[in-house]
Amino acid sequence: MFMRVDQLQAELPAPKRRDPNAAAALQELLGGKYGEMSTLGNYMFQSFNFRSKDKLKPFYSLVASITAEELGHVELVSNGVAMLNNGPDNDGDTSDGGDITGAPFEDMKDIRLAAAFLSGGGGAAPINSNGASWNNDFITSTGNVVVDLLHNFHLECGARLHKLRVYETLTDPTGREVCGYLLVRGSVHAHAYALALKKITGVEIEKFLPTPNIDLSKIPESQKYLAEGSHRRLYTWSPKDYREIAGLWGNGEQALPGDPPGELEVVDGMPDGGKIHQLTGVPSAFTPDYAPEEMFEIAQKLTKKAR
């Protein structure tokens, strides 16, 4: 089962301006071939289908724990997309939608992903940067442990390339922060799958890393995560399960060359995380409604009753 916490895995800065085209670019990290929907789908179904779990506990625990992290990555990217579509944080919702007959959203017809507004109200969706739907064809779950781990290693390296290219298209701090954080964590996952493969086969696959060959020290948004040691940490994402990953991640194994040095460590639970930004309603777009005052009042009364 999964437990949900009302936070993001990382603190995202508010966007400087409303930028639907930047949001469209960030969609690639959600619904693209190497996006977070793909990493989540691969690891989730591999963990569900894993054979001989008790006898292969370290390898099962690795895939299972990273599954939980990837679910949070889907949430992080989705929030980044919605924030860029929404624009800077502000004080609150407009009281009503006003006159909607004068085409208040005329510019939306010219943005890259008009459907993000027309169908989704400015939210994220499991699609790539061109609006093509993410699909099951991106999932590999063969049941063969070596093949699946090797595929996961490839997937994380492809995702790293994905993130670097998207990073280079963005200037807004929100999208770049998403990329900077995920570049660090994606490197961790690639490293972990490489070490797992080395334990089984003896092949030092971690020597392929980093792939593509760029040092994270060149990414300013990654620096605070490197400084705090995020590149050396695997989280269990559970209060008591999946500790077996310590047999693969740790035991004298060191951070990758080029990253700040130190021994790999397993951390029980999850990182501290950051707040989820409030997306201001746009009554003229009927989000959450055209005249939502009554809805807000009802929600306030229900919240008081819950306390």
Side-chain angles (χ1 to χ4, degrees):
M1 67 179 70
F2 295 93
M3 179 176 69
R4 184 164 183 173
V5 176
D6 196 20
Q7 286 184 300
L8 298 178
Q9 286 183 16
E11 187 78 41
L12 297 181
K16 291 184 176 179
R17 62 188 179 91
R18 189 166 183 260
D19 193 344
N21 286 329
L26 201 60
Q27 276 281 168
E28 191 69 23
L29 300 189
L30 184 59
K33 181 177 181 179
Y34 294 104
E36 302 301 336
M37 287 294 299
S38 291
T39 49
L40 170 64
N42 276 266
Y43 310 158
M44 182 166 62
F45 283 98
Q46 287 175 17
S47 68
F48 293 163
N49 299 329
F50 206 101
R51 307 299 177 94
S52 304
K53 289 184 175 73
D54 288 343
K55 296 178 180 178
L56 296 172
K57 202 69 177 244
F59 303 103
Y60 163 67
S61 293
L62 178 67
V63 178
S65 60
I66 294 179
T67 294
E69 180 166 359
E70 294 295 347
L71 189 56
H73 288 183
V74 170
E75 181 182 37
L76 183 72
V77 177
S78 295
N79 274 261
V81 169
M83 289 166 67
L84 285 168
N85 277 323
N86 191 69
D89 291 352
N90 58 56
D91 293 335
D93 302 278
T94 306
S95 59
D96 66 66
D99 182 9
I100 62 172
T101 61
F105 299 105
E106 184 178 10
D107 291 344
M108 287 295 105
K109 70 180 187 303
D110 296 322
I111 66 169
R112 285 179 55 193
L113 285 178
F117 171 74
L118 298 172
S119 297
I127 56 176
N128 69 11
S129 56
N130 291 321
S133 295
W134 181 88
N135 66 81
N136 175 67
D137 291 342
F138 297 151
I139 289 180
T140 295
S141 178
T142 69
N144 182 288
V145 175
V146 173
V147 171
D148 285 349
L149 290 174
L150 187 60
H151 174 78
N152 296 352
F153 177 78
H154 155 77
L155 189 60
E156 292 291 351
C157 291
R160 178 183 172 90
L161 182 61
H162 232 191
K163 294 174 180 71
L164 286 168
R165 288 173 173 170
V166 171
Y167 178 85
E168 290 175 323
T169 72
L170 301 173
T171 57
D172 192 278
T174 304
R176 285 205 149 198
E177 190 71 23
V178 171
C179 294
Y181 175 76
L182 292 178
L183 280 166
V184 173
R185 296 307 300 166
S187 293
V188 168
H189 297 168
H191 192 184
Y193 288 131
L195 292 178
L197 285 162
K198 182 167 73 170
K199 295 292 185 183
I200 298 174
T201 67
V203 178
E204 296 179 330
I205 292 181
E206 77 276 12
K207 291 184 177 180
F208 277 92
L209 299 171
T211 302
N213 186 19
I214 183 170
D215 195 324
L216 288 180
S217 67
K218 300 180 184 298
I219 309 295
E221 290 79 6
S222 295
Q223 298 318 297
K224 58 179 167 293
Y225 305 113
L226 295 172
E228 70 185 19
S230 184
H231 64 294
R232 296 186 291 105
R233 297 175 184 163
L234 263 182
Y235 298 93
T236 63
W237 302 94
S238 172
K240 60 186 178 70
D241 296 319
Y242 309 126
R243 281 290 307 173
E244 297 82 6
I245 59 177
L248 302 169
W249 187 264
N251 294 310
E253 294 281 1
Q254 299 293 308
L256 293 171
D259 290 343
E263 186 173 345
L264 308 183
E265 60 176 331
V266 173
V267 178
D268 289 326
M270 62 192 70
D272 292 337
K275 71 174 183 179
I276 295 180
H277 287 245
Q278 295 292 318
L279 301 176
T280 303
V282 184
S284 55
F286 302 86
T287 58
D289 207 344
Y290 181 75
E293 298 91 339
E294 184 177 355
M295 194 182 299
F296 294 157
E297 184 179 346
I298 292 170
Q300 288 174 358
K301 291 178 179 178
L302 293 173
T303 300
K304 288 180 180 179
K305 283 185 178 181
R307 294 172 181 167

